[in-house]
Amino acid sequence: MRASAAALSARGAALALALALALGCDGAPTRQAPPDVGPRPDAGAADASPPDAALARLLHVAPGASPDAADGRRDHPFPTLQAAYEAARPGDTVLLLPGDHGPAIAPPDGVALWGSGAINTTLQGPLVLRRAGADVRSLTVLGGEPAVTVRASASLGAVDVRAGVGEGLRVEGDAVLEDVRVVDTRAPDGAEPPAFGPEGPSAGAAVQVASGGRLTWRGGGVAGAWWMGVRSAGGALTLDDVAVTDPGGPGVFVEGGTLVARALVVERAVGAGVRLLDAEGDLTDLRIVDVAYASDQGTGTGVGFVGGAGRVTRLTVVGGERGLRVAGGAVVEGTGVDVRDGTGSGVGVAGAEARLTDVRIERMANGGLQVGQGGALAVERVVVIDVRRYGLLASQASVEVTGLRIEGSAARGVTLLGANARLDDVEIVDAADVAVQITDPPAEGGVHVGALTVRGARGAGVAVFGRGGAPVEIEDAEIEGTRPGDGDLADGVQLFDAKAHLRRVTVRRNDGAGILVERGDAVLEAVEAEANGGPGLVVVEPTGPVLSTGLVARGNGGQNVLVLGGLVELQGGALAEALPDPAEGAGDGLVAAQSATVVLRGVTVRGNGRHGAAALARSALRIEGNHFERNHGFGVQVGCDGSSLADEGGNTYAGNADGERGGCP
């Protein structure tokens, strides 16, 4: 994290004391090496021999000191940097005593430049470090365009870079920073307002890494920048425990090259906290707070990958528009993503691939997970709570989900629009609209939903629209407590002009029908419909046969099964205890109407509020091997309206209130 002024002051005082103790009693420089206050690179110049540590000297500089008898000792300091450099030799350290030392001059080969603390030692920028192995510590560089430039290799420690113009620090070579702060970088005179235009972003950043440059930075950070915080164009950037606050653009922007970030904090950036464009990124323990939306960038994202590839481990994004964005062909893996209190979506993927685990998204004004055209998202162990529109939205994309909980969505839970999807171990609670909506499933890949739990949705637990693709597969699902939504529907499962295969699906205590099949076709295996306000199964003018094996419909309102047109075949299972309902009918186990054909084989029809099975309005019943018992009307009733009954044998009757059969002969 960024060092405080007090901490820098204390460090500067400690350094001054340590250096003073290195002097002998008579004030002459000793033959000891300068104290080690941080890592130093190899200091030798290309053609120089390594200096002898036993001969290293400490040369003091004090602004306004008398040049008379100046020899670099503490009580006879040099008055200027230039004078000290002229006396220095490789291995020496020039120590700036507190004060303003005027224009910065880069140290000669093999000579270190130290101040007495950034809070009280100042050089006027620019400072251009052209020689390899430069070592600069514990001072402030003020002003310059840019304030500091590293053209070869350099190590900077406990340095403040203030009021740079255009750029505070520019790295063209290899720089190692420790506890360095870059503060209040300002725009060049007459500069246009910065923006992302057709040709790319405007130039300028508090810290700029040029193509081929390398920056390794630990501690400190950027505070206040007219445009970007840290920017790398084709360089190698490593940030460890660095904070970027209040930049006028993205906190960290990397175009090409690489970014390795550990414990990075970005606060109040504009457009993006961290944005990688065709770059490689490895990000761990990031915290991004309150990124502002930027219209020129079209986003306000915590972390964004556009092209390239990356890994994200433990990312927290608070506020802003979107937490994590993956686009433009990027391939990203991540774990431990936590996004909350934003104005958009938690995670967005479009035209790219992402694989994420352990994701938590809370209180987003738009949605949780969004996968756009050409995107592919695989997620495990995801929690989405209190989002305004959707928990998961995938359009013309591919999603694979294992372990998803959506709670309190103010609209739909999951929406799939022409998307390939495999959803397993999904729980959706209290969605204010349809819990799972599947529209136009694709012909290849299809949609599979398994281990689904839905409680308290509105309109429908699951709704499927469109029959152009492969049948939607839903298995091991429990859907209950659906309440009326738009159009007063409140069904457990709705299939409109769709094809579906339902296995081991339970629909109970929904205000409407358990399962509604309208102008579609379906295969049902081991389905249970219990205590729904409407019929357990409703089939309306199906376009193909509806085939059911082992259906158990019990205690539903009006009828357990209602068939209005088309062909339905029921094999095995039970239709029991249908309840009379003023709107839905008188409590028949099964009703076939509107020229429907229903085949009933091996079904137990027991204890229904009126007839066990009835054919009305030119419909046909074919029955074989069924058992009709204790129904409150006839076992089988056939209307005198062109309806018919074909008894194919093996049917038994017991205790039906009005007898075995009723209606026309």
Side-chain angles (χ1 to χ4, degrees), residues 534-607:
L537 170 64
V538 178
V539 180
V540 181
E541 298 179 353
T543 54
V546 175
L547 309 176
S548 173
T549 302
L551 169 66
V552 175
R554 179 184 299 108
N556 298 289
Q559 301 88 22
N560 277 314
V561 175
L562 173 62
V563 182
L564 304 175
L567 171 63
V568 175
E569 297 186 13
L570 304 181
Q571 175 75 44
L575 308 178
E577 302 170 6
L579 302 175
D581 183 272
E584 300 293 345
D588 299 313
L590 178 146
V591 171
Q594 297 182 5
S595 303
T597 298
V598 176
V599 179
L600 218 60
R601 291 192 175 95
V603 178
T604 297
V605 185
R606 174 189 298 121

Side-chain angles (χ1 to χ4, degrees), residues 258-313:
T258 62
L259 169 64
V260 177
R262 303 284 186 273
L264 171 67
V265 175
V266 180
E267 296 183 354
R268 297 178 297 279
V270 178
V274 176
R275 183 172 180 180
L276 296 96
L277 178 61
D278 296 323
E280 307 293 315
D282 187 353
L283 316 179
T284 303
D285 293 323
L286 269 64
R287 180 176 175 83
I288 315 294
V289 180
D290 292 339
V291 175
Y293 180 85
S295 58
D296 60 307
Q297 301 176 51
T299 185
T301 298
V303 173
F305 289 84
V306 181
R311 178 184 297 275
V312 177
T313 305

